[in-house]
Amino acid sequence: MFGFQCCTDCRETKNKANSSSASISPRKEGELTEAVQNGTVMSKHLVQAYPAGVLQAAKVTHAMTRPETQLRPARQEAQSVQPNREEEKKRLQRVVNEFVRQALPGRPCTFLDPRYQVRMPARLRVPKNLLTLSVVVGEEPFSEAFRCDMANIKDVYSYAIDGRECFDPVLVGLALPQELDLLLTIVCNDGSRLHILEDTLASRDILLECLKILCVYAQAAMQKQSSG
């Protein structure tokens, strides 16, 4: 789903199968905003938010080899996509800020454990520094079932997008047929995996979109820290 190493992991998984609300600090929100808006951070790991701008830029470059009469329309066309790019940046900011606001105390989901073949109500959490992802189960005091550094998330698989072959049959069996499109697996670089069911299709899509942004943000923060 993320496009890091999806095909390789899908093949490996298939082979194995067959054999209290808080707010973000202004400083942290500013850094997150910079991660969303900074063109150097917006990479292939993020949602492809600016394909139109890339295409228009290519048209302008190509137009330079044409007669002068064709240059002006191309420039005007390139300028017309700028508001759309700005609107998309603002939309991403709103979506991520709302996601983090919910995830600070814990965002409802269902935790799946294929080892013991159980499913449990759970909460997905992201701390104020936005650098880790965790899932807790049970009642307070919660028991932590999973934790991973955001920068170490390798890929995220969606049953609806990546297909049944990327999921263990035991895991699929823990979900009801009508829940399969809500099934996600988060894979970390150390090989650990988090299996969850989102509550709705909309919450699933928001999680996928925000994880892409937060992963890149965490990787940039880690690189900045190591270079400093």
Side-chain angles (χ1 to χ4, degrees):
M1 175 65 196
F2 270 15
F4 296 168
Q5 297 184 27
C6 179
C7 294
T8 300
D9 280 356
C10 274
R11 285 196 297 268
E12 291 176 356
T13 304
K14 185 177 180 181
N15 290 337
K16 290 180 180 179
N18 291 340
S19 57
S20 66
S21 183
S23 60
I24 315 170
S25 68
R27 180 179 65 84
K28 188 59 64 178
E29 183 171 351
E31 293 176 2
L32 181 59
T33 298
E34 181 181 358
V36 174
Q37 293 183 337
N38 188 343
T40 61
V41 174
M42 299 293 287
S43 69
K44 67 178 180 179
H45 305 319
L46 286 172
V47 180
Q48 304 262 334
Y50 309 110
V54 174
L55 289 175
Q56 299 301 342
K59 288 182 180 180
V60 173
T61 302
H62 182 63
M64 298 300 290
T65 62
R66 299 178 183 176
E68 179 60 28
T69 54
Q70 296 186 14
L71 286 178
R72 186 168 300 171
R75 285 174 177 168
Q76 291 175 346
E77 190 178 15
Q79 291 173 357
S80 68
V81 302
Q82 189 66 27
N84 293 334
R85 295 176 62 184
E86 292 303 319
E87 285 301 315
E88 180 63 11
K89 289 178 183 179
K90 292 177 182 178
R91 184 192 70 82
L92 287 173
Q93 280 182 246
R94 291 193 300 268
V95 171
V96 174
N97 287 342
E98 177 61 20
F99 170 81
V100 174
R101 186 189 69 79
Q102 296 175 5
L104 284 173
R107 194 169 179 268
C109 65
T110 300
F111 174 72
L112 305 180
D113 190 337
R115 295 172 301 172
Y116 300 105
Q117 299 186 31
V118 295
R119 50 184 288 166
M120 294 171 277
R123 290 184 176 272
L124 184 146
R125 286 179 166 178
V126 174
K128 286 186 178 181
N129 65 12
L130 311 177
L131 297 181
T132 60
L133 177 74
S134 63
V135 167
V136 296
V137 297
E139 303 294 335
E140 291 194 46
F142 297 108
S143 174
E144 189 171 86
F146 178 88
R147 175 179 287 269
C148 179
D149 290 340
M150 199 73 74
N152 288 328
I153 292 180
K154 179 181 179 181
D155 214 335
V156 180
Y157 297 125
S158 165
Y159 186 96
I161 298 172
D162 299 301
R164 189 185 187 95
E165 65 178 10
C166 290
F167 293 85
D168 189 301
V170 175
L171 183 65
V172 173
L174 292 175
L176 299 174
Q178 63 268 29
E179 295 176 320
L180 288 175
D181 283 348
L182 306 174
L183 178 59
L184 300 174
T185 290
I186 298 172
V187 183
C188 296
N189 285 323
D190 62 2
S192 60
R193 294 178 176 237
L194 169 64
H195 311 287
I196 60 172
L197 289 170
E198 276 293 299
D199 283 355
T200 66
L201 295 177
S203 66
R204 177 205 66 187
D205 292 344
I206 290 172
L207 176 59
L208 289 172
E209 188 169 43
C210 290
L211 279 181
K212 292 176 182 179
I213 295 172
L214 292 175
C215 286
V216 175
Y217 165 76
Q219 290 164 3
M222 185 171 62
Q223 292 174 0
K224 182 178 179 180
Q225 184 178 15
S226 61
S227 62

